[in-house]
Amino acid sequence: LFIVTFGGFLVVGAANGINQIIEKDSDRLMLRTENRPLAQGRLSVSEAAIFCLIVGSMGILLIGYFLNPLCALLSLISLCLYAFAYTPLKKISPIAVHIGALPGAISPLVGYVAAAGRFDWIAFTLFTIQFVWQFPHFYAISWLLDEDYKRAGLKLMPLYAQKDRAGAIQIALFTFIHIPVAFLPYYFGFAGIGATVLLLGLSLYFFYLSIRLVMDLQNASARKLMFGSFFYLPLVFIILLIDKWL
């Protein structure tokens, strides 16, 4: 548990560091990121690159040596997808969010493969839960930071939409997907009826929050959806863990 957590922390740190190297000019244009070290020149690109190389390599080596090579490979894929695919795509197309959801969903996969040493339907389910969660989560953030992102030329709203009804409907559709996904743990036999009912209830409430955004298109509703996403994901995994213990 310590290795997968600490090693993952190092790999994610490296990925975020590379992200800030690539986006240092964009970061200067956004209120949210204008005080970052690279954007302000407090840290040079070479210093940041050396840091990312060291901590990223350490994380992958720790995971590979103490856990298994498959976990290390997954961690490397996650780092590369986030830093070298998702990050540059943010200025090109909203499809960046779809690409970014892949490395974002690898973390529970690494944890499961560390424990089980294999891929199976449980690993697929954990990956799917976190993959679909990222769309309403990130789009709610994009809705709130739309002006900041536009200032930097980042295209992170839903495909072919802005802060409008079409965008809100796409967010709601991505949130609706959580309802059938809530049945996957039961379908693959690692969650009981009680846990499934709780997961379904959470997913329905999550969907309700997205419907409110469709109805009023207000930042307040987007903020509630964002905070709802903060609670949704950990609660889902806690429910699955408690169900396993019981």
Side-chain angles (χ1 to χ4, degrees):
L1 178 60
F2 172 78
I3 293 299
V4 77
T5 303
F6 182 62
F9 177 80
L10 293 176
V11 172
V12 171
N16 279 291
I18 296 169
N19 172 278
Q20 292 186 40
I21 291 171
I22 295 171
E23 294 191 332
K24 61 183 178 63
D25 295 327
S26 300
D27 284 347
R28 294 191 191 105
L29 303 175
M30 295 190 289
L31 298 176
R32 185 176 63 91
T33 57
E34 63 183 3
N35 289 318
R36 286 178 172 174
L38 281 160
Q40 289 294 317
R42 298 193 303 271
L43 193 68
S44 71
V45 169
S46 58
E47 289 170 333
I50 291 170
F51 171 82
C52 293
L53 179 63
I54 293 172
V55 299
S57 300
M58 283 178 57
I60 291 169
L61 288 172
L62 283 171
I63 289 171
Y65 181 77
F66 288 102
L67 300 177
N68 57 61
L70 184 53
C71 285
L73 178 61
L74 287 169
S75 300
L76 179 61
I77 291 171
S78 177
L79 189 157
C80 291
L81 279 174
Y82 183 89
F84 303 114
Y86 164 70
T87 296
L89 274 173
K90 287 160 72 175
K91 283 198 170 185
I92 299 172
S93 168
I95 201 71
V97 176
H98 299 251
I99 301 299
L102 293 169
I106 286 178
S107 53
L109 195 57
V110 172
Y112 184 81
V113 173
R118 66 183 186 277
F119 287 113
D120 57 24
W121 288 111
I122 299 177
F124 166 78
T125 301
L126 296 177
F127 176 86
T128 302
I129 289 170
Q130 186 140 331
F131 179 78
V132 300
W133 165 83
Q134 288 175 92
F135 293 96
H137 166 73
F138 194 82
Y139 285 142
I141 295 172
S142 297
W143 188 287
L144 294 170
L145 297 177
D146 186 52
E147 291 183 9
D148 227 15
Y149 286 155
K150 283 180 177 175
R151 197 177 294 117
L154 304 183
K155 301 175 181 179
L156 296 173
M157 287 297 288
L159 290 167
Y160 312 113
Q162 299 297 324
K163 286 180 66 171
D164 53 20
R165 188 96 44 206
I169 289 172
Q170 283 195 56
I171 295 171
L173 289 173
F174 278 115
T175 313
F176 175 80
I177 295 173
H178 291 72
I179 296 172
V181 168
F183 291 95
L184 287 180
Y186 178 78
Y187 180 79
F188 289 119
F190 67 96
I193 291 293
T196 304
V197 170
L198 290 175
L199 295 180
L200 179 60
L202 278 175
S203 300
L204 287 169
Y205 183 70
F206 201 21
F207 180 56
Y208 162 74
L209 292 176
S210 70
I211 291 298
R212 291 190 59 172
L213 179 60
V214 172
M215 297 299 292
D216 62 27
L217 304 179
Q218 296 298 309
N219 281 356
S221 293
R223 189 172 290 106
K224 288 179 181 178
L225 180 62
M226 179 186 72
F227 280 108
S229 72
F230 292 159
F231 288 99
Y232 176 86
L233 191 65
L235 284 174
V236 165
F237 288 132
I238 288 169
I239 288 168
L240 291 174
L241 184 61
I242 292 174
D243 184 72
K244 180 177 174 61
W245 286 344
L246 296 177

